[in-house]
Amino acid sequence: MSLTASRKTQHEPYVLPVAQGRAFFDREARRVTGMSGEEFLRRYDAGEIAADDDTPEGRETGYLILLIPFGR
Amino acid sequence: MAGSTPEEAVDAFLDRVWLTLDCLADCSVHRSPPVQERYAITAFERATGAQNLLTLITHDGTGEVLFRFSHLYRVTHVPDDEERRPYQVRTLAYHYRILDVEDREIALYHWHPEGSGPVITPHLHVPAAAPIQMAQPFTSSRQDEKTQIGKMHFPTARIFLEDLADLLIRDFEVVPNRDDWQEVLHDNRVATGPRLT
């Protein structure tokens, strides 16, 4: 399928610069867990983070885990 | 989405994501750098700068509903697939979250095959659903027990962002951000092809 030129892409670049991505992840980690992004990643890598799909907090943690590539 | 190079495949995929979200709100879409060949996506609202939080206008401007999402994908090389060009974007997991303005969960579409929970196939949560008292046989000891609909994992097919946009506009009465939203969603679905996981 070819898209019409008028609605093909957005104006901004798709790739988020690393520093902006880390800042974004840090804000989300603090909002969801109260931890900094760095601390969340450290605890995630240590196997200390569980995303319990049966609680609101666990579901938001699961959402955050999928954003991890922004935080690395 | 497919492409003759990895970059082309990713751009086609992100074009599709942006066009779909543009049906809902004026926003930009961004991807992370690859981490172990995996990429995450987010969206920033242009008017407010809100990051991964789209405030959607409903009911002719009299209401609001929130949408957050996280989505993980990778690029795969399938050189023998003649119908789809050799590089394809494959979704690995998603969380699509429909929330009220106090950030309370209304409906959540999940697919997290590598998750630790008991359900790793695509499913729907409706946390806003109140417990119900299901009718039981007269002699049942469960006469007074409530069924927790809000804690269930309703199985679904693989859900696409286009499905969410459709749901939000039709049933949550989100005011579309663009007049050609139906055409955009239709074209994106055609481009996406079969619902492969």
Side-chain angles (χ1 to χ4, degrees):
Chain A
M1 182 204 72
S2 62
L3 301 170
T4 60
S6 62
R7 57 182 175 90
K8 194 169 183 181
T9 60
Q10 66 180 20
H11 303 302
E12 301 88 341
Y14 283 131
V15 182
L16 195 65
V18 171
Q20 281 188 46
R22 285 184 182 151
F24 158 63
F25 184 78
D26 183 69
R27 273 191 293 275
E28 282 297 85
R30 290 176 191 276
R31 183 185 66 78
V32 172
T33 67
M35 289 179 244
S36 69
E38 196 174 347
E39 183 185 359
F40 179 84
L41 290 175
R42 184 184 58 73
R43 293 187 58 182
Y44 178 78
D45 291 341
E48 297 171 9
I49 300 288
D52 177 1
D53 207 27
D54 290 332
T55 67
E57 296 78 16
R59 289 190 285 267
E60 246 196 336
T61 301
Y63 149 87
L64 182 63
I65 287 171
L66 297 192
L67 294 175
I68 281 177
F70 283 108
R72 297 289 189 191
Chain B
M1 301 299 289
S4 55
T5 66
E7 294 77 17
E8 189 178 293
V10 169
D11 280 351
F13 172 68
L14 294 175
D15 285 348
R16 195 200 104 207
V17 171
W18 174 72
L19 278 165
T20 299
L21 294 179
D22 195 50
C23 293
L24 299 171
D26 186 20
C27 64
S28 58
V29 167
H30 302 283
R31 72 162 175 83
S32 71
V35 174
Q36 295 176 330
E37 300 183 353
R38 295 167 174 222
Y39 303 79
I41 316 173
T42 186
F44 294 171
E45 206 171 59
R46 288 203 177 97
T48 63
Q51 299 189 340
N52 217 24
L53 175 64
L54 301 184
T55 300
L56 310 178
I57 306 303
T58 70
H59 301 89
D60 298 323
T62 60
E64 292 182 354
V65 64
L66 307 182
F67 180 57
R68 291 186 194 273
F69 75 102
S70 51
H71 188 122
L72 209 55
Y73 70 88
R74 69 183 302 169
V75 182
T76 59
H77 188 215
V78 190
D80 298 330
D81 189 337
E82 292 181 0
E83 291 187 6
R84 296 168 72 87
R85 287 172 289 176
Y87 292 95
Q88 298 174 17
V89 170
R90 303 298 295 266
T91 293
L92 300 173
Y94 57 73
H95 277 231
Y96 300 147
R97 300 171 56 79
I98 299 172
L99 312 162
D100 72 11
V101 294
E102 294 181 358
D103 225 20
R104 288 183 300 206
E105 296 173 327
I106 306 300
L108 316 168
Y109 287 92
H110 283 179
W111 183 41
H112 36 79
E114 296 176 1
S116 56
V119 181
I120 57 173
T121 50
H123 57 275
L124 165 69
H125 296 274
V126 190
I132 60 166
Q133 190 145 6
M134 292 175 59
Q136 297 289 348
F138 182 68
T139 54
S140 171
S141 61
R142 295 194 52 79
Q143 287 284 353
D144 298 326
E145 297 291 326
K146 297 265 176 117
T147 298
Q148 304 291 328
I149 300 290
K151 292 186 176 178
M152 292 185 175
H153 305 71
F154 294 97
T156 68
R158 211 349 256 298
I159 297 297
F160 288 82
L161 272 173
E162 288 79 8
D163 302 320
L164 262 292
D166 225 348
L167 170 72
L168 285 162
I169 293 171
R170 290 183 191 280
D171 293 339
F172 284 84
E173 298 194 39
V174 167
V175 178
N177 185 50
R178 51 191 300 159
D179 293 335
D180 61 350
W181 67 273
Q182 289 171 301
E183 183 186 346
V184 167
L185 297 185
H186 170 77
D187 288 352
N188 281 358
R189 284 175 165 137
V190 170
T192 303
R195 291 177 177 244
L196 302 173
T197 57

